[in-house]
Structures are given as C-alpha cells and as structure tokens.
Amino acid sequence: MSKKPTLLIFDVNETLLDLKPLEQKIIEALDEKMAFQLWFRMLLHYSLVETTSQHYADFNKIGQATLKMIAQQLGKNLSDDRITQILSTIKELPAHPDVEEGLTQLSKQGFEFAALTNGSLRTVKDQLHFAKIDHFFKGIYSVDAVQKYKPHSETYAHVLNVMNTEKENAMLVAAHSWDVTGAQRAGLQTCFVERPGKFSYPLAEKSTYSVKKLTDLSDLLAN
Amino acid sequence: MSKKPTLLIFDVNETLLDLKPLEQKIIEALDEKMAFQLWFRMLLHYSLVETTSQHYADFNKIGQATLKMIAQQLGKNLSDDRITQILSTIKELPAHPDVEEGLTQLSKQGFEFAALTNGSLRTVKDQLHFAKIDHFFKGIYSVDAVQKYKPHSETYAHVLNVMNTEKENAMLVAAHSWDVTGAQRAGLQTCFVERPGKFSYPLAEKSTYSVKKLTDLSDLLAN
C-alpha cells in the first residue's frame, strides 16, 4: 500500500475535459470518422519528435502542423485560417460529467491540486476557466516551462519543484497510459483514468490506481 | 549546394519496403480502413514514449502492445497468437517498384549504403533478404544498439561511428518526415522520399533533397 499522496497533478485534455466538440469539428472538416484520432496521435508523436531531437515548438503550432499533414493525407485542403478556427475549439470544452463532483470531494479530503499539460499556459488557463474548474487548482503548469513534452521526467519534476513536494507524495492523474507510464517511471504515484476508448499500455509498469471516474479516486483515497 | 555525400543511410519500412500487405492484414482483422494508420502512428508514439521516459522495449513488442490497444479501442478482440501472426507479415514485404533500379544506379555512382531501422536487427535482415535487396548494403543497423528510437541523434551517430563517416558526408534517406527532421537536426544531409500519403512536417528545417522515387535521387546526385 502506497503512502497517501498530498498533491494530485491532473492532466487536462481528455482527463478533465471532453475533447468531443473538437473531435466533431475535425471529423466534419475532413469527412472521416477517424480523422480526430489520427490527428491527435500524430500531434503526440510529433511533440516527442521535437523533444527527442532536442528541439521545442509550441503545442499549438505542432497541432496546426499535424492537422495540415492529416488533411493532406486524406486528400483535403484546409487553409491556415480554417485550421486555426477548428483548433480554437480546444478553448471551449466542457469538463467530463464526473469532474466537478470528483474534484469537490477530493478537495474536501484535503488534497492539493495542480494541472500539468502539454498545451501552452495561456490555452490551459482559458480551458479550465471556460470549464469553470480553474478555482480548484493551486497551480496550473505547462511543459513549456521546461521545453520538453510529457512523458519526459523533467515535466513532472518541474511541478514538484515549484510546489515543493517530494515525488512520493505526488500522484499524476491522467487518461493517457503514456503519461501515467512516464510519471510512474519518474517515481510518482499514478492513477489511470479509464475514459471510454482509453486502454493501458501493456508494456508499462502497473499504475498505483486505475479508475473510471474521479469520484472513484475520491472513494479509494478515503480509506 | 551541399558537398556530395559518400554514405547513404536508408530507413527501411515505407522508404524501401511497401507495407501494403501488412496494412491489408490489419484492416481485415479490425474491419476498419484506418486501422493500420492508427496502429502505426501509435507504435511510433509509444517508441518515443519509451525513449523519452528513458526506457527501452523491443520494437516488435511495442508493435504487439499497441496493436492490442488499437483493437481494444475499436472494440475488437485479438488474441496474442493472432497479433503475432498478423505482425509476422512484416517479414514478407516487397520493395517499392523504384527501389531496385534506384539502388543499382546509386551503387554504380559509387555511394555506399547502410540501412537503419527502428525494428530489430533480426527482423530487418529477414526483411531485406525477402525483398532481395540485402546485397546492396555494406551495413544493416538497428536502433537496438543504442536502445533509443529514431529520431534521437544517437541512432544516426551509431551508424556514423561504426562506418567511420563524418556526418557531413552522410545522407539519411527516408519516407518519414520525423526521421528526416531528426537526421537534419543531427547534422546529416537528408533526402525526403515523398511516398504516397507522406508529407513534410511544416515545422521542420527543409531537407537537403526531396524526391518521389529513389531513381530521382540518383539523377540529382549525378550532377
């Protein structure tokens, strides 16, 4: 049994916020039901291409670049303006239905919250404000501060440093197995949120917890 | 104008070999026309998740793990045996139609060839043998030797070290813009092979050359 954490570090997109409105826009624009999944996976891959080749580009820019590539692959022409317009939907996403109640319960239990995202700080602040959950977070952080993308260990270490917390006392909560895997390997406790369509990476070490909803995590940490 | 290279380092899958037979197998097994693309992109992403989190797993194993995840996402059940059977198709891929003539011409022009792949050494040797092009290569290399995936600079440096070649005298030839981008950033000359459905990463530095067929590269280097 792990020692109970004091700090919960939440991933943002898909973990807290529902990307469905953006998915719909991309599917409509490219007339392909898998277009969003192809794009999001390519965006994640290229973020790590940047980190692995010791470069850095803003996540929004990589998002635009990869959406252009996916459009080309699918034989569609999207102007830069149209791409910007489609991707602006990321600032208007609702929280998943379990999030407000889950955060409220966890907050009452005394846990502190941070948010850590691959997106830019400006974008994530707008996102959490739009979803009306920004007030829950003591700190909101972007990997931009270390110019490396998750799951690089420095991204998690940045939050731990700023919030003066030992890794053993922190838990990364994410709906992405690659994020959970990285945090686990960096020595944090972890919780994998099994959002629909999200599955564990079979080669990863087991996460500390695995839940379907944030309210389930609240229940698990209450004991 | 760059100095003419002496060593051409070829990526293997999609650059030299046509993955179509594997694509068909995966599309059939998962009954989804985008299944191969989703899987291949997820495989590439997770290879870099391993490198970024300072771990390493064999590319075949990551291929199996990610195919299992894609099947789960698509609501299909694939046994481990079926996954192994599907992925064994990677050892029986034909070379693209321009490859034999392109390599023959470039060979006559005096260039030396190496192959460098994310796949295992055993797999790539079997692949090049099956496609009847293994005799062209002075050296066949896997990233397994450095336990980091392309586009990490150490992968290219490994080939340069073993073949005693300065980076300025080497050219990476690949149908993947992320591979070309990494090699360019590592100081090699580069050639992007625009296979159907492959497009340049808009945030990358321009590659030294861009061609549709290997015979076009032979023409460009003849001048």
Side-chain angles (χ1 to χ4, degrees):
Chain A
M1 188 72 191
S2 302
K3 188 179 150 196
K4 206 174 279 192
T6 57
L7 174 67
L8 304 180
I9 305 171
F10 290 89
D11 172 52
V12 176
N13 291 312
E14 295 197 312
T15 301
L16 299 174
L17 306 181
D18 187 354
L19 284 177
K20 191 65 79 181
L22 179 59
E23 177 169 7
Q24 292 298 348
K25 281 266 175 72
I26 291 178
I27 289 172
E28 273 169 39
L30 296 176
D31 193 24
E32 164 53 54
K33 72 176 164 40
M34 291 297 170
F36 168 80
Q37 288 201 44
L38 287 167
W39 166 73
F40 198 57
R41 188 60 59 189
M42 193 180 216
L43 165 59
L44 294 172
H45 178 224
Y46 269 91
S47 71
L48 295 187
V49 167
E50 292 284 350
T51 294
T52 311
S53 65
Q54 296 190 290
H55 268 239
Y56 184 74
D58 178 275
F59 203 59
N60 295 330
K61 288 209 173 70
I62 304 176
Q64 290 163 3
T66 49
L67 187 53
K68 202 171 191 73
M69 292 167 85
I70 290 291
Q72 287 173 315
Q73 271 188 20
L74 296 172
K76 297 287 193 304
N77 190 23
L78 290 186
S79 69
D80 290 349
D81 283 353
R82 183 95 175 87
I83 285 174
T84 304
Q85 184 212 344
I86 292 167
L87 293 182
S88 70
T89 310
I90 200 142
K91 295 192 177 178
E92 300 181 353
L93 304 173
H96 284 293
D98 55 295
V99 168
E100 184 161 8
E101 189 182 342
L103 293 179
T104 301
Q105 288 178 11
L106 288 161
S107 177
K108 283 184 184 160
Q109 288 167 270
F111 299 104
E112 283 196 336
F113 301 156
L116 173 65
T117 177
N118 273 338
S120 74
L121 199 55
R122 177 60 193 274
T123 300
V124 66
K125 286 187 171 177
D126 286 351
Q127 286 182 294
L128 295 176
H129 180 72
F130 180 88
K132 299 193 176 64
I133 53 172
D134 48 344
H135 59 283
F136 283 110
F137 298 91
K138 187 172 177 193
I140 298 175
Y141 304 98
S142 163
V143 302
D144 192 60
V146 297
Q147 308 261 302
K148 291 184 176 73
Y149 283 101
K150 290 193 283 181
H152 196 289
S153 63
E154 285 182 31
T155 59
Y156 312 110
H158 171 65
V159 179
L160 300 178
N161 288 340
V162 179
M163 298 193 73
N164 198 24
T165 303
E166 297 297 318
K167 58 190 176 187
E168 297 82 6
N169 296 329
M171 177 182 284
L172 189 276
V173 183
H176 301 122
S177 187
W178 52 266
D179 199 352
V180 168
T181 301
Q184 189 87 18
R185 289 176 178 175
L188 284 74
Q189 296 188 51
T190 55
C191 176
F192 177 53
V193 185
E194 304 167 50
R195 297 281 178 214
K198 301 294 170 194
F199 297 90
S200 287
Y201 176 48
L203 303 184
E205 302 72 13
K206 205 171 168 342
S207 57
T208 319
Y209 296 106
S210 191
V211 299
K212 293 203 185 299
K213 306 192 300 290
L214 292 192
T215 41
D216 296 342
L217 178 60
S218 162
D219 294 344
L220 285 168
L221 293 179
N223 300 321
Chain B
M1 188 71 190
S2 303
K3 188 180 153 196
K4 206 175 282 193
T6 57
L7 173 67
L8 304 181
I9 305 171
F10 290 88
D11 171 53
V12 176
N13 291 312
E14 295 197 312
T15 300
L16 299 174
L17 305 182
D18 187 354
L19 283 178
K20 191 67 78 181
L22 179 59
E23 177 169 8
Q24 292 298 348
K25 280 266 176 73
I26 291 178
I27 289 173
E28 273 168 40
L30 295 176
D31 193 26
E32 163 54 55
K33 71 177 165 41
M34 290 298 169
F36 169 80
Q37 289 201 43
L38 287 168
W39 166 71
F40 198 59
R41 188 61 58 188
M42 193 180 215
L43 165 59
L44 294 173
H45 178 224
Y46 270 91
S47 71
L48 295 188
V49 167
E50 292 284 350
T51 294
T52 310
S53 64
Q54 296 189 289
H55 268 238
Y56 184 74
D58 179 275
F59 203 59
N60 295 332
K61 288 210 174 72
I62 305 176
Q64 289 163 3
T66 48
L67 187 53
K68 200 170 192 76
M69 290 167 87
I70 290 291
Q72 287 172 316
Q73 271 188 19
L74 296 172
K76 298 287 194 302
N77 190 24
L78 290 187
S79 69
D80 291 348
D81 281 355
R82 182 94 175 86
I83 285 175
T84 304
Q85 183 212 345
I86 292 167
L87 293 181
S88 70
T89 310
I90 200 141
K91 294 191 178 179
E92 299 182 354
L93 304 173
H96 283 293
D98 54 295
V99 168
E100 183 160 9
E101 189 182 344
L103 292 179
T104 302
Q105 288 179 13
L106 288 161
S107 177
K108 282 184 184 161
Q109 288 166 271
F111 299 104
E112 283 194 337
F113 301 155
L116 174 64
T117 178
N118 273 339
S120 74
L121 199 56
R122 176 61 193 272
T123 300
V124 65
K125 286 187 172 177
D126 286 351
Q127 286 183 295
L128 296 175
H129 180 73
F130 179 89
K132 298 192 177 66
I133 53 173
D134 49 343
H135 60 283
F136 282 110
F137 297 91
K138 188 172 176 193
I140 298 175
Y141 305 98
S142 163
V143 302
D144 192 60
V146 297
Q147 308 259 304
K148 291 184 175 74
Y149 282 101
K150 290 194 281 181
H152 196 290
S153 63
E154 283 182 32
T155 59
Y156 312 109
H158 171 66
V159 179
L160 300 178
N161 288 340
V162 180
M163 298 194 72
N164 198 23
T165 303
E166 296 297 318
K167 59 189 176 188
E168 298 80 10
N169 297 329
M171 176 181 285
L172 188 277
V173 183
H176 301 122
S177 187
W178 52 267
D179 198 352
V180 168
T181 300
Q184 189 87 18
R185 289 176 178 175
L188 284 73
Q189 295 188 53
T190 54
C191 176
F192 177 54
V193 185
E194 304 167 51
R195 297 282 177 213
K198 301 294 169 195
F199 297 90
S200 286
Y201 176 47
L203 303 184
E205 301 73 12
K206 205 171 169 339
S207 58
T208 318
Y209 295 107
S210 191
V211 299
K212 294 204 185 299
K213 306 192 301 290
L214 292 193
T215 41
D216 296 343
L217 178 60
S218 162
D219 293 345
L220 284 168
L221 292 178
N223 298 322

